Amino acid sequence: MKEYIDRLREEHTLDREGFLTLLSRRDPATQEYAMEEAVKVRRQIYGKDIYIRGLVEITNYCKNNCYYCGIRRENRKASRYRLTPDQILDCCRDGYQLGFRTFVLQGGEDGWYTDEILTAVIKDIKREFPDCAVTLSLGERTFESYQKLYDAGADRYLLRHETATEEHYRKLHPQDLSLEDRKTCLRDLKEIGYQVGAGFMVGSPGQTYAHLVEDLLFLRGLSPHMVGIGPFLSHQDTPFANEPNGDLDLTLFLLALIRLMLPKVLLPSTTALGTLHPDGRKLGILAGCNVVMPNLSPSGVREKYLLYDNKIATGLEAAESIDLLKRQMEEIGYRIVCARGDYPVS
Ligand code: 5AD
């Protein structure tokens, strides 16, 4: 099994059979080896630095009805909110003081945020904080819209593909959403010039190892600057309420494989990982992650942006606890840096 890890590290890819063997025959020794090698690769490129991103959850209104997601349109129990441009600016001001140099504006697909409103917000952020990067995570939009937001100053865009297998995509999403549209958006974003992030959930209902292999191969082909993966976590008011959560070790293993496959990738240790296990975020770093994304949303709305149950919203998760996060990272030999943390050139 170690030969496969070595080959992935050297050649940055494996064939379908290779990935399938690694996933289906994964044992503790292979897991440990993959994580160690991933950490070495990470260190060669990023040293001990961990980048932080201030996450601003701007709206939990969403026109989509994804079966896994707690803010899906048909969840009548969700208490909906949207932040005004002024509130978003205030979050960035708080974040800047705390040392953040990237702001991630994330939200459901909410028609209230027109191109006009968003371009104005992006321009305001860039005017006040010219040394900061703006990342958007606002779902599917048209090429023209993505272009306008980019021209306004947005630097990066996160849009997880969720699963690269057509048949599995259908199990997770209603008919009006399609994997093809998703892929078109990702291609558009790349063409426009964004630093682009894709990704998927681990252990989403109906997922097999074969699906995960396709996710890895898709990522390999897309070659994104960022990859966001985390365990699926059930939400009580969704059709998947009774589905089991994704597995911690499998998530960590996949993080390690992604680091070996895309050595320079910006790889966050996600909130979902931190929700699944109290040390999840730390373990993510020890699997090759190099980014954490603390929450900068106003405390009053944090408990409303619930994509899944039990989402961490206090303690280490809250941006105010950045000192605690710093200490946690120092304990395992890393340091949080105050920098934009762009994808390395060359
Ligand atoms: N569990 C884990 N991750 C989820 N997401 C949405 N719902 C869930 C869930 N129940 C992820 C999706 C989305 C990202 C913002 O959050 O992958 O792209």
Side-chain angles (χ1 to χ4, degrees):
M1 295 286 278
K2 286 190 179 173
E3 318 80 77
Y4 287 103
I5 302 290
D6 290 337
R7 201 186 320 152
L8 181 58
R9 187 193 56 226
E10 297 312 315
E11 298 174 12
H12 307 303
T13 194
L14 291 175
D15 56 14
R16 273 193 176 75
E17 286 70 33
F19 277 127
L20 193 58
T21 305
L22 266 181
L23 290 175
S24 57
R25 307 223 327 250
R26 174 176 60 100
D27 54 19
T30 312
Q31 168 110 19
E32 195 183 328
Y33 186 64
M35 287 173 65
E36 280 168 10
E37 293 305 302
V39 163
K40 280 188 207 160
V41 167
R42 202 210 80 92
R43 285 218 169 198
Q44 281 164 15
I45 295 157
Y46 292 103
K48 296 178 172 178
D49 293 356
I50 302 288
Y51 298 134
I52 49 171
R53 320 299 196 195
L55 185 63
V56 185
E57 295 156 339
I58 68 170
T59 175
N60 70 352
Y61 282 88
C62 191
K63 69 175 168 68
N64 294 328
N65 218 10
C66 309
Y67 304 135
Y68 47 85
C69 185
I71 64 168
R72 62 200 303 270
R73 178 181 74 229
E74 278 177 19
N75 180 9
R76 299 275 132 69
K77 292 195 184 162
S79 158
R80 305 285 173 173
Y81 75 90
R82 55 173 70 96
L83 300 184
T84 63
D86 280 344
Q87 284 178 303
I88 296 171
L89 252 300
D90 277 337
C91 291
C92 297
R93 291 183 185 118
D94 289 346
Y96 194 87
Q97 290 300 319
L98 290 163
F100 290 93
R101 295 298 178 265
T102 290
F103 304 117
V104 182
L105 310 188
Q106 185 173 83
E109 291 192 18
D110 178 358
W112 191 85
Y113 293 91
T114 58
D115 293 342
E116 290 64 36
I117 289 182
L118 286 171
T119 49
V121 174
I122 294 162
K123 283 180 187 169
D124 284 347
I125 297 173
K126 296 295 271 198
R127 190 177 310 122
E128 191 164 335
F129 308 107
D131 54 338
C132 291
V134 170
T135 304
L136 303 176
S137 178
L138 301 169
E140 297 182 13
R141 302 177 78 92
T142 62
F143 185 97
E144 292 69 32
S145 172
Y146 286 148
Q147 184 72 59
K148 282 183 190 161
L149 304 180
Y150 184 78
D151 293 340
D155 302 274
R156 313 188 186 124
Y157 206 103
L158 304 174
L159 185 72
R160 291 188 180 180
H161 64 282
E162 311 296 358
T163 176
T165 310
E166 193 66 56
E167 149 252 330
H168 187 223
Y169 198 90
R170 286 271 66 85
K171 289 201 174 132
L172 303 180
H173 304 94
Q175 280 301 325
D176 57 334
L177 291 171
S178 85
L179 181 57
E180 257 328 296
D181 287 350
R182 205 73 175 175
K183 288 181 175 173
T184 302
C185 286
L186 284 164
R187 272 193 297 268
D188 289 351
L189 290 161
K190 259 206 143 176
E191 187 185 325
I192 290 168
Y194 283 95
Q195 291 176 47
V196 171
F200 56 90
M201 291 175 286
V202 180
S204 57
Q207 187 180 63
T208 62
Y209 288 134
H211 294 146
L212 288 169
V213 171
E214 296 309 315
D215 287 322
L216 292 171
L217 292 170
F218 173 74
L219 288 176
R220 163 76 203 177
L222 180 71
S223 222
H225 307 87
M226 304 166 282
V227 170
I229 75 163
F232 161 76
L233 299 170
S234 66
H235 185 294
Q236 55 188 346
D237 303 312
T238 64
F240 290 159
N242 298 317
E243 298 288 340
N245 287 342
D247 181 77
L248 175 69
D249 285 329
L250 180 58
T251 307
L252 296 172
F253 189 60
L254 284 158
L255 285 167
L257 298 188
I258 291 166
R259 170 62 65 203
L260 295 170
M261 184 172 75
L262 303 167
K264 295 196 289 184
V265 77
L266 295 159
L267 192 61
S269 189
T270 54
T271 309
L273 198 54
T275 299
L276 185 63
H277 188 279
D279 289 330
R281 283 242 162 123
K282 238 178 181 176
L283 292 166
I285 301 297
L286 297 174
C289 291
N290 69 324
V291 173
V292 280
M293 298 172 62
N295 201 324
L296 276 183
S297 309
S299 47
V301 307
R302 270 181 212 173
E303 60 275 13
K304 297 183 177 166
Y305 196 83
L306 295 179
L307 307 184
Y308 41 77
D309 289 338
N310 306 312
K311 187 182 153 215
I312 47 177
T314 53
L316 260 193
E317 180 43 34
E320 294 75 10
S321 305
I322 189 93
D323 286 338
L324 224 62
L325 183 63
K326 279 184 187 157
R327 256 177 283 138
Q328 243 203 16
M329 292 298 135
E330 279 161 14
E331 274 165 30
I332 53 171
Y334 294 85
R335 60 160 182 258
I336 285 188
V337 295
C338 173
R340 276 175 54 119
D342 285 294
Y343 188 81
V345 280
S346 86

